[in-house]
Amino acid sequence: MKTISRLLAALLVCAISTNANAQKRDVGEWSIIPKVGVNLAKLKGDKIGLVDSDDKFIDFSYKLGYEGGAEVEYMVHDRIGVTLGAMYAMQSEKAKDFHVASKQDGSDNLYDFTKAEDIRVNMGFLNIPLKCNVYLTDNIALKAGVQFGFMLSAKLKYNTVSGLYDKLNPGKIIYYDAEGKPAEEGTKVYFSNDVEMKDAYKHIDISIPVGVSYEYENVILEAQYRIGLSDLNDIPHDSNKFRSSVFSFSLGYRLPL
């Protein structure tokens, strides 16, 4: 393990020294960088409480989203640049399918059930990142800064199906229609739900973006992690803290101005 660590360190030193005499950027140079990418996001602490229990919850997990926009960079030093950007990001999260069931009054074997599937929260943000870029070489840069995110939308989406389950006859399930009555054959029993959730969250998200990029022929590949600082929970009487956690991967192209 020590040998591998020393080898990697030697390769990094070699790469930096090899590029030390390469052409550097000019102080005062401006450029605009359009970017598109994908992200993996969730709100740490966000969870679903099951209606048939006071102490059972389902945590949200990372879900794939997308983002796009542009950054403007100004070189304050031949190895240090400052960028200001505007990015639209769909930052989503998902939860596992679950079901709840309750025994019908007067029966030991009949249960009413509801199953929820494909549960996700889609949150649209306008993100304004301000970052410092330190170019270790002409190709590799380390990046860090602060980002202000403004929530534009938030919707909870899921599908549900309800019915009656007979414990003594598990092969026979009676599904309910939209009116809660036994559904006839061919009747729709799966229903899509779309719930407005923006009022459940605070609308400004402050985070710390840190990342690394590789540039070749003005094409920029960037990997970044955004550490949420703000508590986005705006649900009354809920003490849980919701903080954003976002991994992003983007492709950009530098256009000198």
Side-chain angles (χ1 to χ4, degrees), residues 35-41 63-69 87-92 222-226 246-252:
K35 302 170 63 177
V36 294
V38 296
N39 61 58
L40 291 169
K63 186 178 186 302
L64 189 67
Y66 59 87
E67 52 190 63
M87 302 283 294
Y88 175 78
M90 177 58 70
Q91 298 173 190
S92 303
E222 181 175 344
Q224 181 180 235
Y225 178 61
R226 301 197 284 268
V246 184
F247 297 90
S248 70
F249 308 89
S250 65
L251 176 67

Side-chain angles (χ1 to χ4, degrees), residues 31-35 69-73 83-87 129 131 133 143 222 224:
S31 56
I32 184 170
I33 306 169
K35 302 170 63 177
E71 293 180 339
V72 175
E73 183 178 52
T83 58
L84 179 65
M87 302 283 294
K131 294 182 290 185
N133 304 332
K143 305 184 176 187
E222 181 175 344
Q224 181 180 235

Side-chain angles (χ1 to χ4, degrees), residues 39-84:
N39 61 58
L40 291 169
K42 73 171 185 176
L43 292 181
K44 290 184 175 180
D46 201 1
K47 58 187 65 179
I48 297 175
L50 301 187
V51 295
D52 64 340
S53 174
D54 293 330
D55 58 358
K56 291 183 180 180
F57 299 89
I58 295 177
D59 293 326
F60 280 95
S61 58
Y62 289 99
K63 186 178 186 302
L64 189 67
Y66 59 87
E67 52 190 63
E71 293 180 339
V72 175
E73 183 178 52
Y74 175 74
M75 297 301 298
V76 298
H77 184 273
D78 58 12
R79 288 298 186 191
I80 300 176
V82 176
T83 58
L84 179 65

Side-chain angles (χ1 to χ4, degrees), residues 206-227:
I206 301 174
S207 60
I208 300 296
V210 292
V212 61
S213 68
Y214 178 82
E215 182 172 351
Y216 179 75
E217 296 291 340
N218 288 11
V219 176
I220 303 173
L221 296 174
E222 181 175 344
Q224 181 180 235
Y225 178 61
R226 301 197 284 268
I227 307 167

